[in-house]
């Protein structure tokens, strides 16, 4: 199939961390192919501190200006309640959830001998636990409707290693195991799961 033929008309896509960078590109692409997009982004700094509700809305405005449909969501993926709220918001806005792209992320880099829980736990909470928190309530809906697509953003830092990123690398490789199990469990319900591992220089 030619990629130009890939369409998502009427499919509802939740994209976390979609207020900028790779997540924004996911959102714009999905919208251009007809998806109804939930642009989730807390709008915090790279280390996860703070928030800016405008980040998600800017991407929504961009999608709408290009003729697409989207809504902003500023819940945090780092808690079960946040994940449930993101999925509930998608259902409220568009009636269903078909696609989840786990892309939210933060960085708290430090060499391993200086790593401590304040640097490790928040990274796990957003990257790995965040994927659990958003995907699990969506997966329940996907099973019921017999359709779902899940994409999680891993990283070359986990596969090959990168100085100062034991926390990030471990969380990102955790997403690979998470994805493989979802693919097995989702197969008979027409739920497909994949992980991507971008490398930026």
């Amino acid at each position: 199939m030619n990629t130009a033929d890939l369409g998502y008309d009427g499919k509802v896509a939740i994209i976390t961390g979609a207020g900028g960078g790779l997540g924004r590109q996911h959102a714009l692409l999905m919208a251009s192919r007809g998806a109804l997009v939930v642009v989730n982004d807390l709008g915090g700094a790279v280390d996860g501190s703070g928030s800016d509700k405008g980040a998600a809305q800017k991407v929504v405005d961009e999608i709408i200006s290009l003729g697409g449909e989207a809504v902003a969501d500023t819940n945090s993926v780092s808690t079960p309640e946040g994940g449930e709220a993101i999925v509930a918001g998608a259902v409220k806005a568009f009636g269903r959830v078909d696609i989840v792209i786990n892309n939210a992320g933060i960085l708290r880099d430090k060499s391993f001998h200086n790593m401590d829980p304040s640097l490790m736990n928040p990274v796990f909470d957003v990257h790995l636990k965040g994927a659990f928190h958003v995907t699990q309530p969506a997966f329940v809906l996907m099973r019921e409707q017999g359709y779902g697509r899940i994409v999680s953003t891993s990283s070359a830092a986990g596969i090959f290693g990168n100085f100062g990123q034991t926390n990030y690398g471990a969380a990102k490789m955790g997403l690979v195991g998470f994805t493989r199990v979802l693919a097995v469990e989702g197969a008979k319900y027409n739920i497909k799961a994949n992980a991507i591992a971008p490398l930026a220089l």
Side-chain angles (χ1 to χ4, degrees):
M1 174 185 284
N2 188 313
T3 55
D5 298 330
L6 286 174
Y8 302 100
D9 290 349
K11 300 295 186 190
V12 178
I14 293 172
I15 304 170
T16 68
L22 184 61
R24 173 178 167 273
Q25 294 301 320
H26 286 316
L28 293 172
L29 177 63
M30 296 299 293
S32 75
R33 298 287 173 91
L36 312 173
V37 180
V38 177
V39 178
N40 164 263
D41 203 296
L42 186 62
V46 173
D47 68 357
S49 61
S51 64
D52 175 9
K53 296 183 185 298
Q57 189 60 50
K58 285 177 185 175
V59 177
V60 168
D61 293 344
E62 191 173 0
I63 288 171
I64 292 172
S65 73
L66 294 169
E69 289 188 56
V71 294
D73 182 281
T74 56
N75 287 290
S76 173
V77 303
S78 66
T79 67
E81 296 78 15
E84 289 171 6
I86 294 165
V87 173
V91 172
K92 181 178 179 181
F94 298 123
R96 57 188 288 129
V97 175
D98 300 288
I99 300 161
V100 172
I101 300 179
N102 293 304
N103 184 71
I106 64 171
L107 293 173
R108 295 200 179 180
D109 296 354
K110 189 76 75 170
S111 58
F112 184 58
H113 71 282
N114 289 317
M115 186 65 62
D116 64 43
S118 73
L119 301 171
M120 180 182 67
N121 291 330
V123 171
F124 284 9
D125 288 344
V126 174
H127 290 274
L128 185 55
K129 292 182 182 178
F132 270 84
H133 298 327
V134 177
T135 305
Q136 203 277 333
F139 192 84
V140 171
L141 300 176
M142 291 173 177
R143 275 174 47 114
E144 292 172 355
Q145 67 199 21
Y147 179 92
R149 301 292 183 264
I150 301 159
V151 178
S152 296
T153 307
S154 182
S155 172
I159 298 170
F160 303 112
N162 195 38
F163 189 91
Q165 293 192 318
T166 49
N167 51 359
Y168 179 80
K172 287 303 196 183
M173 284 308 288
L175 285 172
V176 173
F178 171 73
T179 298
R180 288 189 179 278
V181 175
L182 282 184
V184 171
E185 292 192 12
K188 71 178 182 178
Y189 300 101
N190 191 27
I191 301 172
K192 300 185 187 303
N194 289 278
I196 61 173
L199 174 62
L201 300 176

